[in-house]
Amino acid sequence: MSTRAPGVSTEPVEQHAPVVIIGPMGAGKSSVGKRVAKALGVPFTDTDRAIVREHGPIPGIFADRGEPEFRELEAAAVRTAMATGGVIAVGGGAVTHASTREAMAGASIVLLTVSPEAVADRIAGSDRPLLANGGIDAWQTIMDERAATYAELAHAVFDTSRRPMSHVVDDVVAWLRAGGDTSTENEGTA
């Protein structure tokens, strides 16, 4: 049984620019990104996973080398992923680093949002370094600090708080198939 919305094709689409999925921790960037890539028939890269494969666990990188070093590794992972193309899910803090923002130039940028209430269960028990000492309060503080940058970079915004991921994926795919207009911020808000 298909969970696709009527009219959303599963045929590969010619992708002129990579698609970068940004958003706060727990918004579903990896889950949505993987499914969008599959629907479009293009490669998928999760930059956090690429960093872990090459450099080890992210909490260890933060502990041993610090956040600035991690952000440099993240920028390099984004540059590599942009060269590959397809759909790229970046870490929640990727947008805070100027080199990473520069590396995303030319991409169609999709912002996934999520409410604090919906994300609380998603991040419970997380080993995410920036949440280690504050849980949902730390998440909200970080989200507030990054909100303006997310909004500035986003070409389309989709909320994942209360909708099935399959519906979010269908909306993102439909937006991209309609041209993924990168000249108008926040079109495609769902």
Side-chain angles (χ1 to χ4, degrees), residues 7-79:
V8 176
S9 171
T10 58
E11 292 300 310
V13 65
E14 183 178 338
Q15 203 62 36
H16 296 286
V19 177
V20 176
I21 301 183
I22 64 172
M25 293 176 266
K29 297 178 299 288
S30 297
S31 297
V32 169
K34 188 182 304 181
R35 293 175 187 178
V36 167
K38 184 176 181 181
L40 297 175
V42 298
F44 172 69
T45 304
D46 179 318
T47 59
D48 280 351
R49 289 190 181 155
I51 292 166
V52 168
R53 271 193 312 275
E54 196 167 326
H55 302 282
I58 292 172
I61 297 169
F62 267 74
D64 297 341
R65 303 185 204 177
E67 185 175 359
E69 175 72 17
F70 173 77
R71 296 297 173 206
E72 290 297 329
L73 296 174
E74 189 171 50
V78 170
R79 283 191 295 275

Side-chain angles (χ1 to χ4, degrees), residues 2 13 34 47 60 139 153 158:
S2 175
V13 65
K34 188 182 304 181
T47 59
W139 180 91
L153 294 171
F158 300 91

